[in-house]
Amino acid sequence: MTNTDDKLQSWRSPVFLSAVEECRWAREVAAHAHAGQRDKAGEPYFNHCQRVADAVSGDREKAVAFLHDVAEKAPGWTPERLKEVGFSSEVVKAVELLTLQPGETKDALVIRAASTPLSLAVKRADLKDNLAQMKNMGRSGDVYLRGLHLLSEASSVLPPQRRAGFQRQKDQGSSTGQPMGTSCTAKAKPVKTTGGRLNGAVRAVLAVIAILFVGGCALGVWLLYT
């Protein structure tokens, strides 16, 4: 993105972003951070981030989806830097839970990702997208199937309050009217107004007034000279 470097230099905490703004900023940062990177199929890596974001609902989940590989795969990006450029603690924490740590196994990462509603939803979408990509390439996706199984097992033993939080987030995502796959960067539909009809009515009234005025003047002149 052309203005991202300037924003990274000037946008520092404390900055309050709405969920929609945070999602749009996450998309821009991810596109910048993954620029030039390719995935296992040779496609731009950001396409994977976009697909994962499209697979979840709610702007917070989409923000995490865009950023889920930034701290792990993009040089110079850390959770601390994400905080500095204005992302909320909730989003940054979820990104941390989705980031492979030194010496950590991928199984351990999957189990850890199940610990919060945000990271759980995004990790599930991430694994499913990787699995679909492997199938499209004619390669084995067993590692991703195993990850989905582990994620399901880990989420089933979440404390009740965390499971309730996950359900609340799902409900909030559906109550916004934002369908799955809708990007938070989608342009708003133009709003229809009655301005045109009002302007037409005003013009009609003015025309009547003008006619009455001209008629009155003509009548006055006729009476004056008769």
Side-chain angles (χ1 to χ4, degrees):
M1 310 302 289
T2 55
N3 297 325
T4 306
D5 286 322
D6 293 337
K7 290 180 182 178
L8 297 179
Q9 295 301 319
S10 61
W11 210 347
R12 293 291 184 267
S13 296
V15 177
F16 175 78
L17 301 176
S18 69
V20 173
E21 291 169 336
E22 187 168 36
C23 180
R24 290 173 178 169
W25 180 225
R27 186 182 190 280
E28 190 170 344
V29 166
H32 170 83
H34 292 300
Q37 294 182 346
R38 299 280 170 175
D39 64 15
K40 59 182 70 70
E43 298 295 325
Y45 196 85
F46 176 75
N47 291 354
H48 165 68
C49 304
Q50 181 69 67
R51 291 193 301 270
V52 174
D54 287 344
V56 296
S57 61
D59 290 319
R60 294 292 187 204
E61 287 185 8
K62 290 179 183 293
V64 174
F66 281 124
L67 299 171
H68 77 278
D69 275 335
V70 163
E72 182 178 329
K73 299 183 184 296
W77 283 96
T78 63
E80 290 72 24
R81 190 179 181 190
L82 291 174
K83 290 179 184 177
E84 287 177 0
V85 299
F87 291 107
S88 64
S89 297
E90 182 184 20
V91 166
V92 174
K93 178 182 178 182
V95 172
E96 287 185 278
L97 289 171
L98 294 164
T99 301
L100 190 68
Q101 302 299 318
E104 184 179 35
T105 66
K106 290 189 176 182
D107 285 355
L109 168 64
V110 168
I111 294 170
R112 187 160 53 87
S115 62
T116 72
L118 275 177
S119 54
L120 172 61
V122 173
K123 190 60 183 175
R124 181 180 290 114
D126 174 43
L127 290 169
K128 287 182 176 180
D129 184 72
N130 278 298
L131 177 60
Q133 192 173 39
M134 295 300 287
K135 287 183 177 179
N136 289 338
M137 297 170 59
R139 294 165 59 182
S140 172
D142 288 351
V143 63
Y144 301 112
L145 284 171
R146 173 182 171 80
L148 286 167
H149 176 73
L150 282 174
L151 194 69
S152 178
E153 290 294 315
S155 63
S156 68
V157 296
L158 281 175
Q161 62 271 23
R162 288 190 178 177
R163 289 202 301 271
F166 182 45
Q167 185 60 48
R168 274 198 305 274
Q169 287 202 349
K170 289 176 66 178
D171 293 342
Q172 288 168 0
S174 60
S175 66
T176 60
Q178 183 182 47
M180 295 284 279
T182 299
S183 173
C184 52
T185 58
K187 293 182 179 179
K189 294 181 179 179
V191 179
K192 294 182 179 179
T193 68
T194 58
R197 278 179 284 178
L198 288 176
N199 289 337
V202 170
R203 286 195 296 269
V205 171
L206 291 175
V208 172
I209 293 173
I211 291 171
L212 292 175
F213 176 76
V214 172
C217 290
L219 179 61
V221 171
W222 181 79
L223 291 174
L224 183 64
Y225 289 99
T226 57

